[in-house]
Amino acid sequence: MEKSLNLVFVATFAIAALLQSSFAQRDYVVGDALGWVIPSTPSTYATWAANKTFRVGDTLVFNFANGRHDVVKVTRANYDSCNAGNPLLMLSSSPANVTLNETGSHYFICGFTGHCGAGQILAINVSAAVSSPAPQPSPRPQPTTPPASSPVPFAPAPTPQGGSPSPSPSPVSGPTRSPMTYIVGDTSGWTVPPSGASFYQTWANGKNFMVGDILVFNYATGAHDVLEVSRASYQQCNSSNPILNLTTPPTRVTLRTTGEHYYICGVTGHCTAGQQLAINVSSSSTATPPSSATPPSSTSGPTPPNNPSTPSPAGDNNNGTPPTPGAASLTVAGLSATFVSLIVAVFV
């Protein structure tokens, strides 16, 4: 018994030490799934950082498409004026990892023309690292004798009553619902999606668009626009002769007719990078995805797949593989399970 209790204490100390080291430093993926892109609203990255505590030793991970963005660490004055000259640090390969090695304020912008002014900026404050106190040993458990179990009287199952149960009533469809407002892309807004061509079709899947509903496109003024186009123009990412051309955010589009509707961004390269949306509008409570929206070929535009893949947290068409969140926690959990198995084996 003495040897078994010693093994318990050793396992307890080892698990506590692993947990302490796992929480000593953290990796923060800037913008999470959105990545490091031109955001739909200028306050996107300030909102992302607002509820986080950054400490010395932590790492910022910037995910973006190589050649379309970069990461420039600048002074407060250059941050305020969106000036990428004389940078403190410049990284152009994704993912860009920045280790926070000193306390105080840190400022980051994208050095591409117009990107900082459109909201691709981040300001954070870094605090000193916190060292956790050493774990205290728990008192030795005293062996106890389990109480004798009392017999439980057997209760016979109730005898079923004669006759079959009454069938449940069939659901009755209710009246047509009131018009709804949909924010296109939700918190990501209307932008070049970081996960590629499937992003907006994934967002639309499962939604029941009806006549009277409203689509709201959120984006930075001058960085994007909203064009409603024909099916052929949608397939070819052709922005000429649009059915509708809107340039002022937030753009509200009321769905007035049934059938298929197609939307793209007319800024060069944005549609082919996945900034496009195809939906089917119904007048009833049941809607189906667009049946005739044949995905464009790889040479003429993006391919909205029938079975969209799960968006990955990367920049605009990012080819880099972002770090997998939670890997350290999984490692600690696995080691902890090993210690627990050892303890159980000793007791058995």
Side-chain angles (χ1 to χ4, degrees):
M1 177 61 71
E2 184 71 22
K3 181 178 179 181
S4 299
L5 291 176
N6 288 337
L7 285 175
V8 171
F9 287 124
V10 171
T12 301
F13 278 115
I15 293 173
L18 286 171
L19 291 174
Q20 180 181 1
S21 63
S22 67
F23 290 108
Q25 298 175 347
R26 294 192 59 181
D27 290 347
Y28 292 94
V29 178
V30 176
D32 296 327
L34 177 63
W36 182 240
V37 298
I38 298 175
S40 57
T41 58
S43 62
T44 294
Y45 292 107
T47 301
W48 171 83
N51 61 347
K52 293 175 176 60
T53 301
F54 302 98
R55 298 191 181 279
V56 171
D58 291 347
T59 300
L60 300 180
V61 181
F62 295 81
N63 290 321
F64 54 91
N66 289 326
R68 301 186 62 176
H69 304 284
D70 58 15
V71 179
V72 182
K73 184 177 182 181
V74 295
T75 63
R76 171 63 185 271
N78 284 7
Y79 174 87
D80 291 337
S81 60
C82 281
N83 181 1
N86 300 318
L88 304 176
L89 178 69
M90 176 178 287
L91 300 171
S92 57
S93 296
S94 177
N97 298 331
V98 178
T99 301
L100 304 175
N101 52 18
E102 59 181 344
T103 60
S105 299
H106 296 250
Y107 304 95
F108 303 92
I109 66 173
C110 178
F112 280 59
T113 303
H115 289 202
C116 174
Q120 195 172 357
I121 56 177
L122 172 66
I124 64 172
N125 190 68
V126 179
S127 303
V130 175
S131 57
S132 303
Q136 299 298 321
S138 303
R140 291 194 175 192
Q142 299 298 325
T144 58
T145 303
S149 58
S150 302
V152 179
F154 173 75
T159 304
Q161 302 296 322
S164 58
S166 301
S168 301
S170 300
V172 179
S173 59
T176 303
R177 62 163 171 77
S178 300
M180 294 181 61
T181 298
Y182 293 95
I183 307 298
V184 176
D186 296 326
T187 56
S188 295
W190 182 239
T191 184
V192 176
S195 57
S198 66
F199 180 80
Y200 288 106
Q201 288 313 117
T202 300
W203 171 85
N205 284 346
K207 292 180 173 61
N208 180 17
F209 300 101
M210 295 175 57
V211 171
D213 289 348
I214 298 173
L215 300 180
V216 179
F217 296 80
N218 290 321
Y219 53 94
T221 302
H224 306 283
D225 56 18
V226 179
L227 305 185
E228 182 173 2
V229 296
S230 65
R231 173 177 169 270
S233 294
Y234 174 87
Q235 290 178 311
Q236 300 170 7
C237 281
N238 183 355
S239 60
S240 61
N241 301 317
I243 300 170
L244 192 66
N245 187 351
L246 302 170
T247 59
T248 303
T251 294
R252 299 171 63 88
V253 177
T254 301
L255 304 174
R256 303 187 184 280
T257 59
T258 60
E260 296 167 1
H261 295 252
Y262 303 93
Y263 304 93
I264 66 172
C265 178
V267 177
T268 302
H270 288 199
C271 174
T272 55
Q275 194 172 357
Q276 56 170 192
L277 171 67
I279 64 172
N280 191 70
V281 179
S282 173
S283 59
S284 66
S285 59
T286 303
T288 57
S291 58
S292 59
T294 304
S297 64
S298 59
T299 58
S300 59
T303 303
N306 292 329
N307 294 315
S309 58
T310 304
S312 59
D316 300 355
N317 287 336
N318 182 21
N319 294 326
T321 303
T324 304
S329 299
L330 290 175
T331 303
V332 172
L335 291 174
S336 302
T338 302
F339 282 118
V340 173
S341 299
L342 175 62
I343 295 169
V344 173
V346 170
F347 277 113
V348 173

